[in-house]
Amino acid sequence: MKLENHYPTRLLPLIYVLFFVSGITGLVYEVAWTKMFVVIFGNTTYAVAAVLSAFMAGFALGSIILGRKGDTFSRPIVAYGVLEICIGIYALILPSILDKLTGFYALIYATFGEESHLIELLRFLISFLLLLIPTTLMGGTLPVLSKFAGQDLSRAGRGIGGLYAINTFGAVLGSFVSGFLLIEFVGVSESVYLSAALSILVG
C-alpha cells in the first residue's frame, strides 16, 4: 500500500502543531534536567556540560540510527507517536532513577573519597548515559517525520524545512517558558511531569 493512502498530505498542518509542542517539551526537559543535575554535581558547570553533551550526542545518534531506518517505516507517523510516548514515559521515571542513585554516589565517595576528579568523571558518565536514551529518541523524531513530509517530492524541501523550523520555534518558546515561568511557579519536577504528559499526549 502506498504511503499516500496511509497519510493524506492535509495532515501536515496537524503534524506541524504536534512537532511544535514537541519542540517546547524538549527544551523544558533540557532546562529542568540541568536543574536536577546541578543537585547531583553540586556544580552548575558540570551539570550543564553533562546535559548539553547528552543532548547533542543523542540528537546526532538518533538522526543517524533512525535516519538510516526511516525508509523502512511504512507508517512514519505511528513511529513518531511511539517515540514521543517513550520519551514521555522515560521522563516520568527519570526522577526516581536519580533518587535511587543517591546510595550509589555515596558508595563512590566512600571508595574514591580522595579522587575528586575521578568522582566527577564517573558522575558525568552516568548522567550522560541516563540522558542519552531520551535524547536519542528525540533526535530520531525529525528523520522519521521527514519521510512523511517528503512523500510529495515536489514539496519535500518545504515540508521538511517546515518541520525543522516549527520545532525550533517550539524550542525557543520552551526555553522561555521553562526558564521564566514553569520552574519558578511550578517547580522542577512538576515541569518535567507536565512535559512528559504533553509528550505522551502528542504521541
Side-chain angles (χ1 to χ4, degrees):
M1 187 177 293
K2 293 183 179 180
L3 182 64
E4 290 82 356
N5 291 335
H6 285 312
Y7 305 117
T9 54
R10 65 175 178 269
L11 287 179
L12 193 55
L14 174 60
I15 299 303
Y16 281 163
V17 172
L18 296 178
F19 210 39
F20 177 77
V21 176
S22 178
I24 294 174
T25 59
L27 261 292
V28 173
Y29 289 138
E30 184 173 353
V31 174
W33 286 340
T34 299
K35 296 285 187 182
M36 288 181 173
F37 281 96
V38 167
V39 175
I40 292 174
F41 284 100
N43 183 300
T44 302
T45 301
Y46 291 150
V48 170
V51 173
L52 286 181
S53 298
F55 264 79
M56 294 301 101
F59 286 169
L61 192 60
S63 295
I64 292 172
I65 295 174
L66 290 171
R68 289 176 177 174
K69 293 186 175 294
D71 290 337
T72 66
F73 295 126
S74 61
R75 296 176 178 266
I77 295 180
V78 173
Y80 168 66
V82 170
L83 288 174
E84 287 289 348
I85 291 172
C86 290
I87 292 167
I89 292 173
Y90 191 89
L92 287 175
I93 65 175
L94 181 59
S96 297
I97 295 175
L98 296 180
D99 287 340
K100 291 179 180 179
L101 281 175
T102 303
F104 179 71
Y105 287 132
L107 178 61
I108 291 177
Y109 275 111
T111 307
F112 304 102
E114 305 256 336
E115 303 290 338
S116 60
H117 293 297
L118 180 58
I119 292 172
E120 295 300 342
L121 178 60
L122 287 172
R123 286 196 295 189
F124 179 90
L125 290 175
I126 293 170
S127 302
F128 177 85
L129 292 174
L130 283 175
L131 292 182
L132 190 63
I133 297 171
T135 55
T136 298
L137 298 176
M138 293 178 194
T141 55
L142 180 60
V144 169
L145 281 182
S146 293
K147 182 179 181 183
F148 168 73
Q151 61 181 293
D152 184 349
L153 295 180
S154 65
R155 299 181 179 180
R158 184 187 306 173
I160 296 171
L163 283 173
Y164 184 84
I166 202 70
N167 189 251
T168 302
F169 286 134
V172 172
L173 181 59
S175 180
F176 172 81
V177 168
S178 59
F180 291 96
L181 298 174
L182 273 181
I183 291 177
E184 181 175 356
F185 295 105
V186 178
V188 175
S189 297
E190 291 76 9
S191 297
V192 171
Y193 296 145
L194 177 60
S195 292
L198 285 174
S199 294
I200 294 171
L201 181 61
V202 166

